[in-house]
Amino acid sequence: MIGFYWLASYLIGNIMTAFFVGRVYGVNLQMERSKNLGARNAGSVLGKWAFLWTFLGDALKGVIVVFVGRYLQLDEWVVIGGAALVIIGHLYPIWLKFQGGKGVATFIGVGLALSPSLFCMMIVGTVLTLIITRSLTLSMLGGFVLYIGAIVYTGNLQLYSPIFIVIGCMIIKHMSNIKESLKKWR
């Protein structure tokens, strides 16, 4: 059961909302601007409705995986593993030669579904850093720091370790944006 749940989680992550939203608009988002299959690129190329649909679709993937795992009464470490794998599936979809999105919307869905109270710290960290830096990319890093800190504080470090790995993968995917934002912020 665990292996099937984890495989299904990864495959659900492979459902790239931006790919399908782009098709509806007659646009291949892999050829436009950042070439990223995420909500931000969909919004930049196609407008706010494309952003909204992509964001909601990608966030819903994370919510579904957590909800199904809990509905099946799987152990929390199994559910958190599935949550990490749905994000990995979004970052590295097999059917698109591992060229997916950057994982933010799916991470938001996962974070809210796993523990809204812990995820509040992500929001607080993001908002505080945004006030200082005026950069969404850099504010995401501040959010990650407070989110990880909250997990450590609650004593759930080992349980949430798969999520830490995913956060590392997301930071790597955002590295060019981070470098660009740091240049502008100085």
Side-chain angles (χ1 to χ4, degrees), residues 24-136:
V24 168
Y25 283 84
V27 174
N28 181 353
L29 290 170
Q30 291 175 295
M31 301 297 177
E32 302 291 332
R33 295 211 181 156
S34 72
K35 300 176 180 18
N36 180 9
L37 287 176
R40 193 172 183 178
N41 195 39
S44 295
V45 174
L46 302 170
K48 63 184 169 188
W49 285 107
F51 170 86
L52 182 63
W53 286 116
T54 303
F55 178 85
L56 291 175
D58 288 346
L60 187 60
K61 295 188 295 194
V63 172
I64 287 170
V65 165
V66 172
F67 176 79
V68 168
R70 289 188 173 152
Y71 179 79
L72 295 173
Q73 298 180 345
L74 299 173
D75 290 337
E76 192 66 4
W77 68 271
V78 176
V79 174
I80 290 173
L85 284 165
V86 73
I87 297 169
I88 292 293
H90 180 84
L91 295 171
Y92 309 106
I94 195 166
W95 68 284
L96 292 172
K97 299 178 184 169
F98 305 103
Q99 299 299 314
K102 294 185 179 178
V104 174
T106 306
F107 177 81
I108 290 170
V110 161
L112 286 170
L114 282 175
S115 172
S117 60
L118 280 176
F119 196 74
C120 279
M121 296 312 291
M122 175 78 185
I123 295 168
V124 168
T126 300
V127 169
L128 290 175
T129 311
L130 184 61
I131 290 168
I132 295 166
T133 65
R134 302 276 190 234
S135 164
L136 278 175

Side-chain angles (χ1 to χ4, degrees), residues 1 10 14 40 83 130:
M1 175 65 107
Y10 172 76
N14 273 241
R40 193 172 183 178
L130 184 61

